[in-house]
Amino acid sequence: MSKLWKCISLLLLSGCVTAQTLPSHDEVDASVDLAMLSAIRSEELNHSKVMDHAGWIADVFGPRVTGSENLDRAGQWAQEQMKSWGLVNVHEERFSFGKGWSLQHFDASIMEPNYQPLIGFPKSFTPGTKGRITAEVVRVQVNSEEDFAKYHGKLQGKIIVLQPVREVKMLEGIVVQRWTPELLKEAESTPLVGPAAGGSAGAARAAIFDANAQAFFIKEGVVAELDRGVDASMVHGDNQLSWMTQRTDGGTVFVQAGGPFESAKAGDVLPQVTLAVEHYNRILRIMEKGIPVKVELNIATSFRDEAPGHENGFNVIGEIPGTDLANEVVMVGAHLDSHQSATGATDNAAGVAAMMEAMRILQAVGAKPRRTIRIALWGGEEEGELGSQAYIRSHFYNTATHAALLEYKTLSAYYNLDNGTGRIRGVWIQGNFAAQPIFRSWFPMLKDLGVNAIAPRSVAGSDYSSFDDVGLPGFQFMQDRLEYNSRTHHSNMDTVDRLQRDDLTQMAIVAATFAYNTAMRQAMIPRKVFVPEPRKEASTR
Ligand SMILES: [Zn+2]
């Protein structure tokens, strides 16, 4: 039995890998506490609770739309867990969000020309049907407001569909994606052309048109709208990288919001359901043959008003207090909220579970970090990183006056997880080249766990952006995407079944290592020169 094999077989029995694979002190930064890093690994490899956390958050509390009772319960549970591990300053910080939304009931079926139950899901922030309804489906084609007139008086009591048939391509692409050497090489280079500019003016015009169309349809007496989700496969050009994953169809539905959540406007839209593309297409193909289609719907949803002192948005906070540098802070975080069509397991119970587990491990091994390590579980991420932005405004930076608050100077770094259940392979450093040698100096002790990439480019799309936007060092870990792009992101199949235990275990070890090293080093993580500029919109969430 070779030494390597001996170690691997011992690893299966115990945590022996820690002593065997960690580099010697002369290979790494002298401030790194190898004994503590070994203890972190050993605790996680032998006593991991990461799947248990994820199971509570996703299976037990269910879909966690911001402002829902499910999210409140998950937040309460997270605080109880943190307190039970001895974290201090455990509390929630509420922020004004708008109306909360929950789904109470849904079913949908084709009734004529023959019966078929439909796979679909109501869009969040849309109203219900006020009981069971059966109505004829009508195809409506409106490209501009002039088109409204031709439907005046013709839509009373109808269910409408706006999109044409979408061709379903046979699944021949990649469904499960890990970082390949080629993709890593691409990510580690800097693109010399930024993301395509513009789009926001076009998006704003489209939003106004959509709102006017909804108002017209409601006035005309339309009872519901069916769609088949967005056309985009989302998978190419994500982070400007050539991901080759293909989105799965076959009963997987990608569903997001269908209406505003601001208190004054919430609910002023049609009941809306996104159907599996194959079922949507069948309805249209029958209608194209001149045969009427009748669909039965029963949707019940509820909106929750904000109460003074109990606003619908909240973040959960907990801390491991620092010692000689306790006034300085290292933050880790992930968003606790989710979309509604599944249990938000990979987006983002996975990230929350790994970050909570990192805190649990650090407590379990008796870590005494020099700086305070703080965890934040964000709300409102899916509606535009609203929780982390509220936190920035109340603790670090007044975005209205562009004035730094007192705590601005005290944050060393914020680390975020929000790319699903895949293991961590490196860090997007947001163009902060001064951070690069520091992270690289930690890689020797993480190399055997597959962590060794630095991607220089700035990415956007989750809560680290809120920090980066105001000049604070906020970083997103680079994760293996696995089925995130193809199957689980914002879909009805984002369930605990898709979580990968070994990857989550690795994520917890790496997050704890980064947090601890950041808390122990002599200096804080260096910052970029900060030039205030408007928020960038892209997607790595
Ligand atoms: Zn997310």
Side-chain angles (χ1 to χ4, degrees), residues 401-444:
T401 61
H402 291 284
L405 309 181
L406 280 178
E407 290 176 58
Y408 188 80
K409 273 193 265 187
T410 66
L411 182 76
S412 179
Y414 168 70
Y415 300 107
N416 193 67
L417 276 171
D418 191 12
N419 275 173
T421 185
R423 66 189 57 197
I424 294 171
R425 305 294 301 276
V427 191
W428 301 98
I429 60 163
Q430 305 295 122
N432 183 348
F433 286 91
Q436 176 170 326
I438 297 165
F439 296 155
R440 281 212 189 281
S441 77
W442 301 341
F443 285 170

mmCIF file of all heavy atoms in Angstrom, residues 401-444:
data_model
loop_
_atom_site.group_PDB
_atom_site.id
_atom_site.type_symbol
_atom_site.label_atom_id
_atom_site.label_comp_id
_atom_site.label_asym_id
_atom_site.label_seq_id
_atom_site.Cartn_x
_atom_site.Cartn_y
_atom_site.Cartn_z
ATOM 1 N N THR A 401 -25.721 60.242 -0.320
ATOM 2 C CA THR A 401 -24.789 61.373 -0.183
ATOM 3 C C THR A 401 -23.363 60.997 -0.566
ATOM 4 O O THR A 401 -22.471 61.847 -0.576
ATOM 5 C CB THR A 401 -24.760 61.858 1.288
ATOM 6 O OG1 THR A 401 -24.291 60.769 2.108
ATOM 7 C CG2 THR A 401 -26.147 62.283 1.754
ATOM 8 N N HIS A 402 -23.126 59.726 -0.878
ATOM 9 C CA HIS A 402 -21.776 59.225 -1.173
ATOM 10 C C HIS A 402 -20.818 59.481 -0.021
ATOM 11 O O HIS A 402 -19.659 59.844 -0.223
ATOM 12 C CB HIS A 402 -21.231 59.814 -2.479
ATOM 13 C CG HIS A 402 -21.963 59.300 -3.681
ATOM 14 N ND1 HIS A 402 -21.765 58.039 -4.183
ATOM 15 C CD2 HIS A 402 -22.926 59.865 -4.443
ATOM 16 C CE1 HIS A 402 -22.571 57.854 -5.214
ATOM 17 N NE2 HIS A 402 -23.297 58.945 -5.394
ATOM 18 N N ALA A 403 -21.316 59.294 1.204
ATOM 19 C CA ALA A 403 -20.465 59.481 2.387
ATOM 20 C C ALA A 403 -20.247 58.135 3.070
ATOM 21 O O ALA A 403 -21.198 57.370 3.272
ATOM 22 C CB ALA A 403 -21.132 60.454 3.357
ATOM 23 N N ALA A 404 -18.972 57.843 3.407
ATOM 24 C CA ALA A 404 -18.670 56.615 4.140
ATOM 25 C C ALA A 404 -19.117 56.768 5.592
ATOM 26 O O ALA A 404 -18.979 57.845 6.178
ATOM 27 C CB ALA A 404 -17.178 56.332 4.073
ATOM 28 N N LEU A 405 -19.673 55.721 6.168
ATOM 29 C CA LEU A 405 -20.047 55.730 7.580
ATOM 30 C C LEU A 405 -18.862 55.226 8.409
ATOM 31 O O LEU A 405 -17.869 54.742 7.864
ATOM 32 C CB LEU A 405 -21.291 54.854 7.809
ATOM 33 C CG LEU A 405 -22.486 55.134 6.882
ATOM 34 C CD1 LEU A 405 -23.671 54.229 7.227
ATOM 35 C CD2 LEU A 405 -22.905 56.602 6.972
ATOM 36 N N LEU A 406 -18.979 55.327 9.727
ATOM 37 C CA LEU A 406 -17.846 54.984 10.602
ATOM 38 C C LEU A 406 -17.344 53.560 10.388
ATOM 39 O O LEU A 406 -16.146 53.303 10.394
ATOM 40 C CB LEU A 406 -18.248 55.171 12.069
ATOM 41 C CG LEU A 406 -18.222 56.616 12.578
ATOM 42 C CD1 LEU A 406 -18.693 56.666 14.032
ATOM 43 C CD2 LEU A 406 -16.813 57.210 12.442
ATOM 44 N N GLU A 407 -18.265 52.616 10.189
ATOM 45 C CA GLU A 407 -17.858 51.207 10.066
ATOM 46 C C GLU A 407 -17.148 50.911 8.747
ATOM 47 O O GLU A 407 -16.584 49.832 8.577
ATOM 48 C CB GLU A 407 -19.084 50.288 10.198
ATOM 49 C CG GLU A 407 -19.690 50.219 11.585
ATOM 50 C CD GLU A 407 -20.965 49.374 11.611
ATOM 51 O OE1 GLU A 407 -20.916 48.185 11.236
ATOM 52 O OE2 GLU A 407 -22.029 49.918 11.978
ATOM 53 N N TYR A 408 -17.217 51.847 7.802
ATOM 54 C CA TYR A 408 -16.634 51.611 6.467
ATOM 55 C C TYR A 408 -15.178 51.184 6.562
ATOM 56 O O TYR A 408 -14.720 50.314 5.821
ATOM 57 C CB TYR A 408 -16.767 52.895 5.643
ATOM 58 C CG TYR A 408 -16.387 52.779 4.177
ATOM 59 C CD1 TYR A 408 -17.278 52.237 3.252
ATOM 60 C CD2 TYR A 408 -15.159 53.242 3.710
ATOM 61 C CE1 TYR A 408 -16.952 52.151 1.896
ATOM 62 C CE2 TYR A 408 -14.827 53.153 2.362
ATOM 63 C CZ TYR A 408 -15.724 52.612 1.462
ATOM 64 O OH TYR A 408 -15.394 52.532 0.131
ATOM 65 N N LYS A 409 -14.458 51.817 7.508
ATOM 66 C CA LYS A 409 -13.024 51.545 7.636
ATOM 67 C C LYS A 409 -12.737 50.183 8.268
ATOM 68 O O LYS A 409 -11.614 49.703 8.218
ATOM 69 C CB LYS A 409 -12.389 52.627 8.520
ATOM 70 C CG LYS A 409 -11.958 53.855 7.738
ATOM 71 C CD LYS A 409 -11.057 54.734 8.581
ATOM 72 C CE LYS A 409 -11.926 55.771 9.223
ATOM 73 N NZ LYS A 409 -11.523 56.838 9.944
ATOM 74 N N THR A 410 -13.755 49.571 8.896
ATOM 75 C CA THR A 410 -13.481 48.402 9.738
ATOM 76 C C THR A 410 -13.652 47.069 9.018
ATOM 77 O O THR A 410 -13.354 46.026 9.582
ATOM 78 C CB THR A 410 -14.415 48.392 10.966
ATOM 79 O OG1 THR A 410 -15.770 48.195 10.515
ATOM 80 C CG2 THR A 410 -14.320 49.688 11.745
ATOM 81 N N LEU A 411 -14.174 47.078 7.780
ATOM 82 C CA LEU A 411 -14.421 45.802 7.091
ATOM 83 C C LEU A 411 -13.183 45.374 6.301
ATOM 84 O O LEU A 411 -12.726 46.098 5.421
ATOM 85 C CB LEU A 411 -15.611 45.917 6.131
ATOM 86 C CG LEU A 411 -15.943 44.594 5.434
ATOM 87 C CD1 LEU A 411 -16.666 43.637 6.389
ATOM 88 C CD2 LEU A 411 -16.781 44.811 4.183
ATOM 89 N N SER A 412 -12.684 44.181 6.627
ATOM 90 C CA SER A 412 -11.539 43.680 5.860
ATOM 91 C C SER A 412 -12.014 43.120 4.530
ATOM 92 O O SER A 412 -11.518 43.515 3.477
ATOM 93 C CB SER A 412 -10.797 42.603 6.652
ATOM 94 O OG SER A 412 -9.713 42.116 5.889
ATOM 95 N N ALA A 413 -12.970 42.179 4.552
ATOM 96 C CA ALA A 413 -13.469 41.594 3.302
ATOM 97 C C ALA A 413 -14.821 40.936 3.543
ATOM 98 O O ALA A 413 -15.158 40.580 4.678
ATOM 99 C CB ALA A 413 -12.489 40.558 2.759
ATOM 100 N N TYR A 414 -15.582 40.804 2.456
ATOM 101 C CA TYR A 414 -16.827 40.040 2.471
ATOM 102 C C TYR A 414 -16.731 38.932 1.423
ATOM 103 O O TYR A 414 -16.376 39.187 0.275
ATOM 104 C CB TYR A 414 -18.032 40.942 2.156
ATOM 105 C CG TYR A 414 -19.284 40.138 1.881
ATOM 106 C CD1 TYR A 414 -19.922 39.455 2.899
ATOM 107 C CD2 TYR A 414 -19.801 40.009 0.583
ATOM 108 C CE1 TYR A 414 -21.042 38.665 2.656
ATOM 109 C CE2 TYR A 414 -20.915 39.231 0.329
ATOM 110 C CZ TYR A 414 -21.529 38.563 1.371
ATOM 111 O OH TYR A 414 -22.632 37.779 1.126
ATOM 112 N N TYR A 415 -17.033 37.692 1.830
ATOM 113 C CA TYR A 415 -17.008 36.539 0.919
ATOM 114 C C TYR A 415 -18.420 36.009 0.738
ATOM 115 O O TYR A 415 -19.137 35.785 1.715
ATOM 116 C CB TYR A 415 -16.112 35.426 1.479
ATOM 117 C CG TYR A 415 -14.682 35.859 1.686
ATOM 118 C CD1 TYR A 415 -14.184 36.084 2.974
ATOM 119 C CD2 TYR A 415 -13.834 36.061 0.599
ATOM 120 C CE1 TYR A 415 -12.865 36.486 3.176
ATOM 121 C CE2 TYR A 415 -12.521 36.465 0.795
ATOM 122 C CZ TYR A 415 -12.043 36.680 2.080
ATOM 123 O OH TYR A 415 -10.737 37.091 2.275
ATOM 124 N N ASN A 416 -18.806 35.764 -0.531
ATOM 125 C CA ASN A 416 -20.178 35.379 -0.864
ATOM 126 C C ASN A 416 -20.226 34.027 -1.578
ATOM 127 O O ASN A 416 -19.325 33.684 -2.347
ATOM 128 C CB ASN A 416 -20.748 36.452 -1.823
ATOM 129 C CG ASN A 416 -22.249 36.356 -2.009
ATOM 130 O OD1 ASN A 416 -23.001 36.597 -1.059
ATOM 131 N ND2 ASN A 416 -22.695 36.019 -3.207
ATOM 132 N N LEU A 417 -21.269 33.281 -1.311
ATOM 133 C CA LEU A 417 -21.543 32.042 -2.061
ATOM 134 C C LEU A 417 -22.936 32.140 -2.668
ATOM 135 O O LEU A 417 -23.914 32.339 -1.952
ATOM 136 C CB LEU A 417 -21.499 30.822 -1.128
ATOM 137 C CG LEU A 417 -20.134 30.207 -0.829
ATOM 138 C CD1 LEU A 417 -20.261 29.160 0.271
ATOM 139 C CD2 LEU A 417 -19.516 29.595 -2.091
ATOM 140 N N ASP A 418 -23.031 31.981 -3.997
ATOM 141 C CA ASP A 418 -24.350 32.038 -4.635
ATOM 142 C C ASP A 418 -24.310 31.442 -6.045
ATOM 143 O O ASP A 418 -24.949 31.954 -6.946
ATOM 144 C CB ASP A 418 -24.858 33.487 -4.682
ATOM 145 C CG ASP A 418 -26.320 33.558 -5.096
ATOM 146 O OD1 ASP A 418 -26.987 32.493 -5.122
ATOM 147 O OD2 ASP A 418 -26.799 34.666 -5.402
ATOM 148 N N ASN A 419 -23.556 30.369 -6.228
ATOM 149 C CA ASN A 419 -23.565 29.731 -7.544
ATOM 150 C C ASN A 419 -23.891 28.250 -7.435
ATOM 151 O O ASN A 419 -23.406 27.425 -8.203
ATOM 152 C CB ASN A 419 -22.234 29.930 -8.275
ATOM 153 C CG ASN A 419 -22.163 31.259 -9.023
ATOM 154 O OD1 ASN A 419 -21.134 31.628 -9.545
ATOM 155 N ND2 ASN A 419 -23.277 32.001 -9.083
ATOM 156 N N GLY A 420 -24.721 27.912 -6.447
ATOM 157 C CA GLY A 420 -25.218 26.548 -6.366
ATOM 158 C C GLY A 420 -24.430 25.658 -5.430
ATOM 159 O O GLY A 420 -23.790 26.114 -4.490
ATOM 160 N N THR A 421 -24.459 24.373 -5.744
ATOM 161 C CA THR A 421 -23.953 23.351 -4.838
ATOM 162 C C THR A 421 -22.543 22.880 -5.181
ATOM 163 O O THR A 421 -22.004 22.002 -4.523
ATOM 164 C CB THR A 421 -24.931 22.145 -4.849
ATOM 165 O OG1 THR A 421 -24.514 21.193 -3.877
ATOM 166 C CG2 THR A 421 -24.968 21.478 -6.216
ATOM 167 N N GLY A 422 -21.918 23.467 -6.214
ATOM 168 C CA GLY A 422 -20.614 22.979 -6.659
ATOM 169 C C GLY A 422 -19.463 23.510 -5.825
ATOM 170 O O GLY A 422 -19.493 24.635 -5.326
ATOM 171 N N ARG A 423 -18.402 22.720 -5.745
ATOM 172 C CA ARG A 423 -17.279 23.088 -4.887
ATOM 173 C C ARG A 423 -16.583 24.360 -5.359
ATOM 174 O O ARG A 423 -16.692 24.759 -6.515
ATOM 175 C CB ARG A 423 -16.292 21.939 -4.759
ATOM 176 C CG ARG A 423 -15.578 21.569 -6.037
ATOM 177 C CD ARG A 423 -14.791 20.287 -5.831
ATOM 178 N NE ARG A 423 -15.693 19.207 -5.375
ATOM 179 C CZ ARG A 423 -15.286 18.078 -4.797
ATOM 180 N NH1 ARG A 423 -14.016 17.867 -4.597
ATOM 181 N NH2 ARG A 423 -16.143 17.156 -4.427
ATOM 182 N N ILE A 424 -15.864 24.969 -4.436
ATOM 183 C CA ILE A 424 -15.156 26.227 -4.707
ATOM 184 C C ILE A 424 -13.841 25.923 -5.419
ATOM 185 O O ILE A 424 -13.088 25.061 -4.988
ATOM 186 C CB ILE A 424 -14.894 26.986 -3.384
ATOM 187 C CG1 ILE A 424 -16.221 27.435 -2.759
ATOM 188 C CG2 ILE A 424 -13.968 28.178 -3.623
ATOM 189 C CD1 ILE A 424 -16.092 27.990 -1.356
ATOM 190 N N ARG A 425 -13.598 26.632 -6.531
ATOM 191 C CA ARG A 425 -12.373 26.430 -7.290
ATOM 192 C C ARG A 425 -11.453 27.643 -7.268
ATOM 193 O O ARG A 425 -10.303 27.566 -7.714
ATOM 194 C CB ARG A 425 -12.732 26.089 -8.740
ATOM 195 C CG ARG A 425 -13.678 24.882 -8.886
ATOM 196 C CD ARG A 425 -13.021 23.586 -8.437
ATOM 197 N NE ARG A 425 -11.847 23.334 -9.217
ATOM 198 C CZ ARG A 425 -11.840 22.744 -10.418
ATOM 199 N NH1 ARG A 425 -12.968 22.305 -10.933
ATOM 200 N NH2 ARG A 425 -10.718 22.575 -11.071
ATOM 201 N N GLY A 426 -11.961 28.767 -6.782
ATOM 202 C CA GLY A 426 -11.136 29.972 -6.749
ATOM 203 C C GLY A 426 -11.976 31.176 -6.363
ATOM 204 O O GLY A 426 -13.065 31.024 -5.797
ATOM 205 N N VAL A 427 -11.465 32.355 -6.703
ATOM 206 C CA VAL A 427 -12.135 33.602 -6.319
ATOM 207 C C VAL A 427 -12.182 34.542 -7.517
ATOM 208 O O VAL A 427 -11.197 34.691 -8.244
ATOM 209 C CB VAL A 427 -11.362 34.333 -5.183
ATOM 210 C CG1 VAL A 427 -12.193 35.474 -4.613
ATOM 211 C CG2 VAL A 427 -10.945 33.376 -4.087
ATOM 212 N N TRP A 428 -13.352 35.170 -7.715
ATOM 213 C CA TRP A 428 -13.420 36.305 -8.645
ATOM 214 C C TRP A 428 -12.912 37.506 -7.864
ATOM 215 O O TRP A 428 -13.531 37.893 -6.866
ATOM 216 C CB TRP A 428 -14.869 36.565 -9.070
ATOM 217 C CG TRP A 428 -15.582 35.430 -9.738
ATOM 218 C CD1 TRP A 428 -16.442 34.548 -9.152
ATOM 219 C CD2 TRP A 428 -15.552 35.083 -11.125
ATOM 220 N NE1 TRP A 428 -16.934 33.664 -10.088
ATOM 221 C CE2 TRP A 428 -16.403 33.969 -11.307
ATOM 222 C CE3 TRP A 428 -14.877 35.603 -12.233
ATOM 223 C CZ2 TRP A 428 -16.602 33.357 -12.546
ATOM 224 C CZ3 TRP A 428 -15.080 34.998 -13.470
ATOM 225 C CH2 TRP A 428 -15.930 33.893 -13.614
ATOM 226 N N ILE A 429 -11.811 38.123 -8.272
ATOM 227 C CA ILE A 429 -11.231 39.174 -7.417
ATOM 228 C C ILE A 429 -11.687 40.583 -7.786
ATOM 229 O O ILE A 429 -11.229 41.552 -7.198
ATOM 230 C CB ILE A 429 -9.694 39.109 -7.346
ATOM 231 C CG1 ILE A 429 -9.067 39.262 -8.727
ATOM 232 C CG2 ILE A 429 -9.234 37.834 -6.640
ATOM 233 C CD1 ILE A 429 -7.590 39.607 -8.665
ATOM 234 N N GLN A 430 -12.612 40.719 -8.744
ATOM 235 C CA GLN A 430 -13.222 42.028 -9.020
ATOM 236 C C GLN A 430 -12.175 43.089 -9.384
ATOM 237 O O GLN A 430 -12.336 44.253 -9.025
ATOM 238 C CB GLN A 430 -14.029 42.514 -7.800
ATOM 239 C CG GLN A 430 -15.096 41.543 -7.302
ATOM 240 C CD GLN A 430 -16.216 41.307 -8.311
ATOM 241 O OE1 GLN A 430 -16.443 40.164 -8.706
ATOM 242 N NE2 GLN A 430 -16.891 42.337 -8.741
ATOM 243 N N GLY A 431 -11.124 42.665 -10.056
ATOM 244 C CA GLY A 431 -10.101 43.633 -10.442
ATOM 245 C C GLY A 431 -9.243 44.130 -9.278
ATOM 246 O O GLY A 431 -8.489 45.090 -9.439
ATOM 247 N N ASN A 432 -9.352 43.486 -8.113
ATOM 248 C CA ASN A 432 -8.559 43.889 -6.949
ATOM 249 C C ASN A 432 -7.248 43.100 -6.939
ATOM 250 O O ASN A 432 -7.110 42.093 -6.250
ATOM 251 C CB ASN A 432 -9.375 43.635 -5.675
ATOM 252 C CG ASN A 432 -8.651 44.097 -4.418
ATOM 253 O OD1 ASN A 432 -7.461 44.398 -4.446
ATOM 254 N ND2 ASN A 432 -9.390 44.148 -3.318
ATOM 255 N N PHE A 433 -6.284 43.602 -7.701
ATOM 256 C CA PHE A 433 -5.051 42.835 -7.888
ATOM 257 C C PHE A 433 -4.189 42.769 -6.632
ATOM 258 O O PHE A 433 -3.360 41.876 -6.496
ATOM 259 C CB PHE A 433 -4.259 43.386 -9.082
ATOM 260 C CG PHE A 433 -4.896 43.001 -10.388
ATOM 261 C CD1 PHE A 433 -5.827 43.825 -10.989
ATOM 262 C CD2 PHE A 433 -4.591 41.778 -10.976
ATOM 263 C CE1 PHE A 433 -6.451 43.452 -12.175
ATOM 264 C CE2 PHE A 433 -5.205 41.396 -12.160
ATOM 265 C CZ PHE A 433 -6.144 42.233 -12.758
ATOM 266 N N ALA A 434 -4.400 43.694 -5.713
ATOM 267 C CA ALA A 434 -3.625 43.645 -4.467
ATOM 268 C C ALA A 434 -4.049 42.455 -3.602
ATOM 269 O O ALA A 434 -3.285 41.985 -2.764
ATOM 270 C CB ALA A 434 -3.803 44.953 -3.701
ATOM 271 N N ALA A 435 -5.279 41.967 -3.805
ATOM 272 C CA ALA A 435 -5.746 40.815 -3.024
ATOM 273 C C ALA A 435 -5.191 39.501 -3.574
ATOM 274 O O ALA A 435 -5.127 38.495 -2.866
ATOM 275 C CB ALA A 435 -7.277 40.777 -3.026
ATOM 276 N N GLN A 436 -4.782 39.545 -4.836
ATOM 277 C CA GLN A 436 -4.393 38.306 -5.518
ATOM 278 C C GLN A 436 -3.254 37.549 -4.819
ATOM 279 O O GLN A 436 -3.394 36.351 -4.552
ATOM 280 C CB GLN A 436 -4.030 38.642 -6.961
ATOM 281 C CG GLN A 436 -3.528 37.452 -7.754
ATOM 282 C CD GLN A 436 -3.412 37.778 -9.235
ATOM 283 O OE1 GLN A 436 -4.192 38.536 -9.777
ATOM 284 N NE2 GLN A 436 -2.444 37.209 -9.884
ATOM 285 N N PRO A 437 -2.109 38.199 -4.503
ATOM 286 C CA PRO A 437 -1.030 37.422 -3.863
ATOM 287 C C PRO A 437 -1.425 36.880 -2.490
ATOM 288 O O PRO A 437 -0.915 35.832 -2.077
ATOM 289 C CB PRO A 437 0.123 38.443 -3.751
ATOM 290 C CG PRO A 437 -0.486 39.782 -3.956
ATOM 291 C CD PRO A 437 -1.716 39.589 -4.777
ATOM 292 N N ILE A 438 -2.319 37.569 -1.827
ATOM 293 C CA ILE A 438 -2.752 37.088 -0.498
ATOM 294 C C ILE A 438 -3.535 35.789 -0.658
ATOM 295 O O ILE A 438 -3.252 34.784 0.010
ATOM 296 C CB ILE A 438 -3.615 38.171 0.197
ATOM 297 C CG1 ILE A 438 -2.767 39.423 0.425
ATOM 298 C CG2 ILE A 438 -4.204 37.640 1.505
ATOM 299 C CD1 ILE A 438 -3.562 40.656 0.754
ATOM 300 N N PHE A 439 -4.513 35.788 -1.571
ATOM 301 C CA PHE A 439 -5.297 34.565 -1.782
ATOM 302 C C PHE A 439 -4.396 33.436 -2.295
ATOM 303 O O PHE A 439 -4.515 32.299 -1.878
ATOM 304 C CB PHE A 439 -6.456 34.808 -2.750
ATOM 305 C CG PHE A 439 -7.492 35.785 -2.229
ATOM 306 C CD1 PHE A 439 -8.295 36.506 -3.118
ATOM 307 C CD2 PHE A 439 -7.677 35.971 -0.869
ATOM 308 C CE1 PHE A 439 -9.251 37.407 -2.642
ATOM 309 C CE2 PHE A 439 -8.628 36.869 -0.388
ATOM 310 C CZ PHE A 439 -9.415 37.585 -1.279
ATOM 311 N N ARG A 440 -3.486 33.800 -3.206
ATOM 312 C CA ARG A 440 -2.594 32.771 -3.750
ATOM 313 C C ARG A 440 -1.746 32.128 -2.651
ATOM 314 O O ARG A 440 -1.440 30.947 -2.712
ATOM 315 C CB ARG A 440 -1.676 33.361 -4.821
ATOM 316 C CG ARG A 440 -2.341 33.530 -6.157
ATOM 317 C CD ARG A 440 -1.357 33.351 -7.318
ATOM 318 N NE ARG A 440 -1.984 33.724 -8.580
ATOM 319 C CZ ARG A 440 -2.828 32.945 -9.248
ATOM 320 N NH1 ARG A 440 -3.127 31.741 -8.780
ATOM 321 N NH2 ARG A 440 -3.376 33.362 -10.371
ATOM 322 N N SER A 441 -1.371 32.933 -1.663
ATOM 323 C CA SER A 441 -0.533 32.388 -0.580
ATOM 324 C C SER A 441 -1.315 31.370 0.258
ATOM 325 O O SER A 441 -0.726 30.586 0.995
ATOM 326 C CB SER A 441 -0.006 33.519 0.304
ATOM 327 O OG SER A 441 -1.023 33.995 1.178
ATOM 328 N N TRP A 442 -2.641 31.385 0.159
ATOM 329 C CA TRP A 442 -3.452 30.403 0.899
ATOM 330 C C TRP A 442 -3.732 29.147 0.079
ATOM 331 O O TRP A 442 -4.200 28.146 0.609
ATOM 332 C CB TRP A 442 -4.800 31.013 1.313
ATOM 333 C CG TRP A 442 -4.680 32.229 2.172
ATOM 334 C CD1 TRP A 442 -3.589 32.638 2.899
ATOM 335 C CD2 TRP A 442 -5.698 33.227 2.390
ATOM 336 N NE1 TRP A 442 -3.862 33.821 3.553
ATOM 337 C CE2 TRP A 442 -5.139 34.205 3.266
ATOM 338 C CE3 TRP A 442 -7.010 33.397 1.950
ATOM 339 C CZ2 TRP A 442 -5.866 35.316 3.687
ATOM 340 C CZ3 TRP A 442 -7.735 34.495 2.379
ATOM 341 C CH2 TRP A 442 -7.153 35.455 3.241
ATOM 342 N N PHE A 443 -3.494 29.226 -1.224
ATOM 343 C CA PHE A 443 -3.864 28.095 -2.083
ATOM 344 C C PHE A 443 -3.105 26.797 -1.792
ATOM 345 O O PHE A 443 -3.677 25.722 -1.944
ATOM 346 C CB PHE A 443 -3.730 28.465 -3.568
ATOM 347 C CG PHE A 443 -4.834 29.354 -4.079
ATOM 348 C CD1 PHE A 443 -4.742 29.937 -5.341
ATOM 349 C CD2 PHE A 443 -5.974 29.612 -3.319
ATOM 350 C CE1 PHE A 443 -5.757 30.763 -5.827
ATOM 351 C CE2 PHE A 443 -6.994 30.436 -3.795
ATOM 352 C CZ PHE A 443 -6.873 31.008 -5.051
ATOM 353 N N PRO A 444 -1.798 26.846 -1.401
ATOM 354 C CA PRO A 444 -1.106 25.573 -1.160
ATOM 355 C C PRO A 444 -1.864 24.684 -0.173
ATOM 356 O O PRO A 444 -1.877 23.455 -0.317
ATOM 357 C CB PRO A 444 0.251 26.007 -0.604
ATOM 358 C CG PRO A 444 0.481 27.346 -1.213
ATOM 359 C CD PRO A 444 -0.881 27.994 -1.285
#
